[in-house]
Amino acid sequence: MPPFLIIAIDGGAAAGKSTTARALSERFHFLHVDTGSYYRALTAEMLRAGLSPADLPAVEAALAALALGTRVESRRALMEVANRVVPDAELRSPAVNAHVSHFAALPSVRSALLAYQRDQAAVARRHGFAGLVMEGRDIGTIIFPDADFRFFLHADPAERARRRAAEGQQDSIAERDRLDSSRKAAPLACPIGAIDIDSTLLDLETVVETVAAPIAARLAA
Ligand code: DC
């Protein structure tokens, strides 16, 4: 019986995490968890409720009232808030892009998601996946520091801005990276023992092959 593998992929905005994680999930039949979409969903909920990240007591009360669930669609885990999956267009809206790093910097928001994210390993096992590939900013540092593989992806800001623009998205990635890297709670950082990949000059196929090779070798051993 092959081992159940946990793969952590961390990096800044538009560093190639999602493409890589999706490719791994297809190749190895892993559950794909994009934790950025979880922070985005909570941000969308807070904005809908008219809350600002500065209004801590109101944010904490709203977090305590949230009922979180998981829907597995194809190989992706989608977060349900009160049985509703926030649509992708809302998750990627300019308002969510502008506010998500501010909500994600709040320790109460991070702790509301901590156990939920770790529980995705049990979700993956229950659904018969061969493992879990989780992408974010603190996966190899905080969520799964003992992951079987930890990868850290980065790329020049200009190249990342070009990728986002090619996706038709309005997103100030340099500002989000500054906020995500400088916050006190679980800042974006390269995890100890991670394989560090600069994707600036690589096409995403090469990044995927670089990440997949040691996983395939482990599964073949
Ligand atoms: O991966 P993304 O760009 O969709 O993430 C959106 C924001 O969520 C990002 O700017 C910071 C936050 N985030 C985080 O703080 N921790 C994670 N593990 C994932 C995302």
Side-chain angles (χ1 to χ4, degrees):
M1 180 101 171
F4 180 90
L5 295 181
I6 296 187
I7 318 296
I9 303 182
D10 288 301
K17 302 187 300 296
S18 290
T19 307
T20 306
R22 207 177 306 119
L24 294 185
S25 78
E26 279 166 20
R27 190 173 304 191
F28 300 112
H29 192 53
F30 293 155
L31 179 66
H32 173 199
V33 178
D34 168 11
T35 60
S37 73
Y38 296 170
Y39 285 91
R40 288 173 178 276
L42 289 198
T43 299
E45 288 299 315
M46 298 296 146
L47 294 177
R48 262 143 80 73
L51 300 179
S52 137
D55 191 354
L56 267 185
V59 169
E60 282 168 13
L63 289 171
L66 285 179
L68 301 183
T70 305
R71 186 180 307 169
V72 174
E73 252 181 39
S74 180
R75 293 185 189 82
R76 278 190 77 191
L78 306 175
M79 188 167 84
E80 293 176 327
V81 182
N83 291 319
R84 169 183 178 261
V85 173
V86 180
D88 232 42
E90 197 178 336
L91 294 182
R92 317 262 152 214
S93 68
V96 169
N97 281 342
H99 288 89
V100 63
S101 289
H102 298 280
F103 282 104
L106 302 178
S108 52
V109 168
R110 307 202 72 79
S111 58
L113 285 178
L114 183 69
Y116 177 80
Q117 291 171 98
R118 289 187 178 147
D119 282 350
Q120 300 295 309
V123 172
R125 286 176 192 275
R126 255 202 323 276
H127 283 80
F129 286 95
L132 171 76
V133 53
M134 183 174 277
E135 54 165 305
R137 304 294 189 288
D138 62 344
I139 311 308
T141 52
I142 306 284
I143 308 300
F144 289 119
D146 297 327
D148 297 281
F149 291 94
R150 291 174 295 278
F151 297 97
F152 189 72
L153 300 187
H154 56 98
D156 277 358
E159 168 58 15
R160 292 188 291 129
R162 194 195 60 73
R163 291 178 191 168
R164 270 293 188 268
E167 290 165 4
Q169 278 206 56
Q170 184 191 331
D171 189 0
S172 43
I173 54 175
E175 173 64 359
R176 281 208 290 129
D177 274 2
R178 191 188 63 73
L179 291 166
D180 296 339
S181 307
S182 61
R183 69 186 176 215
K184 283 208 183 71
L188 167 65
C190 182
I192 294 169
I195 299 171
D196 189 327
I197 299 170
D198 182 348
S199 75
T200 309
L201 300 175
L202 304 177
D203 57 42
L204 285 170
E205 265 169 37
T206 308
V207 175
V208 169
E209 290 314 316
T210 308
V211 168
I215 300 172
R218 169 80 63 91
L219 290 170

